[in-house]
Amino acid sequence: MPRVSETEVKRRPGGRSARVRAAVLEATVELLGVQGLAGLRIAEVAERAGVHETSIYRRWGTRENLLLDALLEVSEQLRVPDTGVVRDDLIAYARDLAAFLATPLGYALEHALAAAGDDPDARCARDRYWETRASRSRQIVVRGIERGELPDTVDPRLVIEMLVSPVHFRVVLTREAIEPEMPARIVDALLGGVAGR
Amino acid sequence: MPRVSETEVKRRPGGRSARVRAAVLEATVELLGVQGLAGLRIAEVAERAGVHETSIYRRWGTRENLLLDALLEVSEQLRVPDTGVVRDDLIAYARDLAAFLATPLGYALEHALAAAGDDPDARCARDRYWETRASRSRQIVVRGIERGELPDTVDPRLVIEMLVSPVHFRVVLTREAIEPEMPARIVDALLGGVAGR
């Protein structure tokens, strides 16, 4: 293998640092999935990731910031369906979200997000998380407009917000279970309206 | 004034107990409105209500249960509009909710609700809170059906859930401000649907 020049190393400062970050986030997500939020201790994350506890505090500052960063990693697992039919995509997306939030990991992350403070670091991580999620899921609506299923006056952001809000509302606030038919009922109300013709 | 017989006192055991309860809840709500959730201390609530701290712990057990009970008191302030037009009622209700959740008191109560545990006491107080709120606000939709503005196949519960969820979603999770036009946009999407004719 060719020797890497020092200039090149400097151009790629991510190397070790990126590996540490990935290991810590992976350990955080694994532990959250096993024991939920209340039991999560930085010492345990450090041990599982094979790094010093101080490295975690140096990079993330607080347990809360680490959690928010782990959220972004996890949200990559939530696929955005593309079946070619907007109704099916919306239902599948709401169903996957409900299923994810019903897992110990999803539940823990959702409540961590609700409980996170309003300091600049937390705000920044939170905004990045929701913006990432929204910009991906909005594609469902954008594709529906492109196929002519939805008028081009539709606001993709509003549609996605109205689709996912009732799911989040139950998980965070009322703590009611989400019935299997709920995603389809939300989507039909949203697409066709409840006022009738 | 006629002397009250002992039998009568026994028939109305609420007297002093009910007054203590009211004073404590009022003090809780006042303090929450002034200093938010983080600063709320039982000792201060007791002092303001003129009761012993131990009386509060004996009745409510935890700070959390006290908060959930205070929620019910506060929710009585949220009026359910009755203008005679379902669209106007829905918009007004969502606007009032958004305005309330933007106050320090509303914000504190909402986050207390999100953070509350899942022990039987907390669950019972929470279920009572949401059931009270929902059964009152559903009347908007029921009246709309009675006036023939909405078909009788409409599920009042689903409509109210889809109306209030995006407001709660922003306050608890994304922490985005609610634009003044958002309630009307939600209601129009919900009544008319986004798919067009």
Side-chain angles (χ1 to χ4, degrees):
Chain A
M1 263 168 84
R3 243 185 88 233
V4 177
S5 76
E6 205 180 323
T7 327
E8 257 178 306
V9 172
K10 276 189 188 150
R11 255 191 272 126
R12 297 184 303 177
R16 180 168 186 285
S17 172
R19 281 196 306 277
V20 167
R21 178 175 180 277
V24 170
L25 291 181
E26 196 186 324
T28 304
V29 168
E30 282 168 7
L31 286 171
L32 275 173
V34 175
Q35 41 192 225
L37 182 60
L40 188 81
R41 292 173 55 243
I42 297 284
E44 245 179 302
V45 173
E47 199 192 318
R48 185 179 279 242
V51 305
H52 287 292
E53 219 175 313
T54 47
S55 312
I56 297 183
Y57 282 110
R58 202 181 311 123
R59 182 187 288 257
W60 282 279
T62 61
R63 194 180 92 127
E64 194 169 81
N65 288 338
L66 172 61
L67 282 170
L68 285 167
D69 216 11
L71 265 174
L72 266 176
E73 287 294 297
V74 169
S75 70
E76 297 296 319
Q77 297 169 16
L78 254 186
R79 71 191 174 91
V80 175
D82 186 7
T83 63
V85 179
V86 74
R87 177 176 183 272
D88 295 345
D89 284 356
L90 291 171
I91 292 173
Y93 189 70
R95 271 203 188 125
D96 287 354
L97 177 64
F100 171 64
L101 294 179
T103 64
L105 176 62
Y107 190 86
L109 288 172
E110 180 87 343
H111 279 271
L113 207 46
D118 260 328
D119 58 287
D121 278 0
R123 204 177 306 144
C124 176
R126 176 167 51 230
D127 290 353
R128 208 171 69 229
Y129 171 68
W130 289 112
E131 189 39 46
T132 305
R133 284 275 295 270
S135 67
R136 295 174 69 211
S137 52
R138 269 199 290 265
Q139 295 312 309
I140 295 174
V141 182
V142 170
R143 287 193 298 259
I145 295 171
E146 284 167 359
R147 285 189 302 260
E149 290 182 278
L150 299 174
D152 61 7
T153 49
V154 163
D155 177 2
R157 182 160 184 254
L158 182 72
V159 174
I160 293 299
E161 235 178 323
M162 289 184 69
L163 175 72
V164 301
S165 293
V167 176
H168 289 292
F169 177 61
R170 290 205 175 181
V171 174
V172 179
L173 289 170
T174 68
R175 320 267 177 112
E176 268 180 287
I178 292 157
E179 305 89 356
E181 68 277 16
M182 191 183 177
R185 297 184 67 216
I186 293 171
V187 170
D188 288 335
L190 193 48
L191 291 178
V194 298
R197 299 292 143 98
Chain B
M1 262 166 82
R3 244 187 87 229
V4 176
S5 76
E6 207 181 321
T7 327
E8 258 177 305
V9 171
K10 275 189 187 151
R11 255 191 272 125
R12 297 183 303 175
R16 180 168 187 283
S17 171
R19 280 196 305 278
V20 167
R21 179 174 180 277
V24 170
L25 292 181
E26 195 186 323
T28 306
V29 169
E30 281 168 8
L31 285 171
L32 275 174
V34 175
Q35 40 193 224
L37 182 60
L40 187 81
R41 291 172 56 242
I42 297 284
E44 245 179 302
V45 172
E47 198 192 319
R48 183 178 278 243
V51 304
H52 287 293
E53 218 175 313
T54 46
S55 311
I56 297 183
Y57 283 111
R58 201 180 313 122
R59 183 188 288 258
W60 281 279
T62 62
R63 193 179 93 126
E64 196 168 79
N65 288 338
L66 173 60
L67 282 170
L68 286 167
D69 216 10
L71 265 174
L72 266 176
E73 286 295 295
V74 169
S75 70
E76 296 297 318
Q77 297 167 17
L78 255 186
R79 69 188 177 91
V80 174
D82 185 8
T83 63
V85 178
V86 74
R87 178 176 183 270
D88 295 346
D89 284 356
L90 292 170
I91 292 174
Y93 189 71
R95 271 203 190 125
D96 287 354
L97 177 65
F100 171 65
L101 294 178
T103 64
L105 175 62
Y107 190 86
L109 287 172
E110 180 89 343
H111 279 271
L113 207 47
D118 261 327
D119 57 287
D121 279 359
R123 206 178 304 144
C124 176
R126 176 168 51 230
D127 289 354
R128 210 172 67 228
Y129 171 68
W130 288 112
E131 189 39 44
T132 305
R133 284 276 295 270
S135 68
R136 297 176 67 210
S137 52
R138 269 199 290 264
Q139 295 312 310
I140 296 174
V141 182
V142 170
R143 287 192 299 259
I145 295 171
E146 283 165 1
R147 284 189 303 261
E149 290 182 278
L150 299 174
D152 62 8
T153 48
V154 164
D155 177 2
R157 182 159 186 253
L158 181 72
V159 173
I160 293 299
E161 235 178 324
M162 289 184 69
L163 175 72
V164 302
S165 292
V167 176
H168 290 292
F169 177 61
R170 288 205 178 183
V171 174
V172 178
L173 289 170
T174 67
R175 319 270 176 108
E176 267 181 288
I178 292 156
E179 305 89 356
E181 67 277 16
M182 190 183 176
R185 297 183 66 216
I186 293 170
V187 170
D188 288 335
L190 195 47
L191 292 177
V194 299
R197 302 292 144 99

